[in-house]
Amino acid sequence: MPQEFRIQTIAKIRSDFPDKFGIPRQSGILKDLKSQIVFEPEFRNADALRGLEEFSHLWIVWIFSENIRKEFHPTVRPPRLGGNVRKGVFATRSSFRPNPLALSVVKIEKIENSNEGPVITVSGADLMDGTPIVDIKPYLPYADAVPQATGGFTDKVKFVPLSVNFPDAELQKVAPEKRDALLRVLSEDPRPAYQKDADRVYGFRFASYEIKFTVKENTLCVQSVSLV
């Protein structure tokens, strides 16, 4: 018999991605990215995090809040395959799922108390700003790491990072502490998998900036950086 369960939002992420465009496609890929886990008022209790500082990484269970579908679709088109091949939804990490739940592993950078209660700064998160988090759990290397695991179709597709041409005059507009992370985001090709138009000028927001760029062959050229 089908059952429904109530899930509470315990926290939200504070990240440099106000939109879906440009977000890393998996957690841990862009280790320079810093985000904060900010708890909802009723969960702002430091005792709930007691002992978490002993761990290096944690799992975040979160909601694909921007990709909720009412109808079930058994197949999806993974970006890893260029958006041109269909695979079963349960054989992918697609955001379009019967239950819009996601799982990410991140590194704990620091845990500190603030006027918003305990805040966890993490690196490597692949979440849009404001994404609801429904649970966090410590990462356990002895149980969670599987060195001999195979990656299915993802093992067969080699991803080659883009070369990034970022004019110095434009790069100087970006705060120094944001530059490395932004360069990594751009090298990972932030375009949707199905958009490969060499003449198109793409744009996305990162932190407080709007970045416009083009991609020709394997080189991404930044056209402009502006404050938003």
Side-chain angles (χ1 to χ4, degrees), residues 24-89:
R25 295 186 176 98
Q26 300 292 341
S27 63
I29 293 178
L30 302 184
K31 297 177 174 57
D32 297 322
L33 290 176
K34 301 293 192 300
S35 306
Q36 288 77 41
I37 298 173
V38 182
F39 289 88
E40 295 293 276
E42 63 185 295
F43 298 104
R44 291 177 181 176
N45 188 325
D47 286 341
L49 303 183
R50 188 186 302 170
L52 186 61
E53 72 281 354
E54 301 173 26
F55 297 88
S56 64
H57 293 71
L58 59 80
W59 291 104
I60 302 176
V61 185
W62 50 280
I63 303 291
F64 283 118
S65 55
E66 298 299 307
N67 282 337
I68 296 176
R69 284 183 172 180
K70 294 182 179 180
E71 297 180 357
F72 172 61
H73 294 271
T75 62
V76 294
R77 296 184 295 175
R80 184 80 172 185
L81 297 177
N84 299 315
V85 179
R86 287 197 170 272
K87 295 287 184 178
V89 64

Side-chain angles (χ1 to χ4, degrees), residues 142-199:
Y142 79 90
D144 296 339
V146 186
Q148 68 272 27
T150 59
F153 64 84
T154 66
D155 287 341
K156 302 172 185 177
V157 181
K158 183 178 180 181
F159 175 77
V160 179
L162 298 176
S163 297
V164 179
N165 181 353
F166 207 136
D168 189 62
E170 298 302 317
L171 184 60
Q172 293 302 317
K173 297 177 183 178
V174 180
E177 66 273 15
K178 300 288 185 183
R179 292 174 189 170
D180 286 344
L182 176 57
L183 287 167
R184 288 293 304 276
V185 169
L186 294 172
S187 71
E188 287 288 318
D189 195 350
R191 296 174 297 171
Y194 53 85
Q195 292 184 5
K196 302 295 181 183
D197 186 349
D199 296 319

Side-chain angles (χ1 to χ4, degrees), residues 121-146:
T121 298
V122 299
S123 58
D126 54 339
L127 285 71
M128 188 176 75
D129 186 57
T131 294
I133 296 170
V134 297
D135 202 5
I136 62 172
K137 303 174 186 292
Y139 177 91
L140 304 178
Y142 79 90
D144 296 339
V146 186

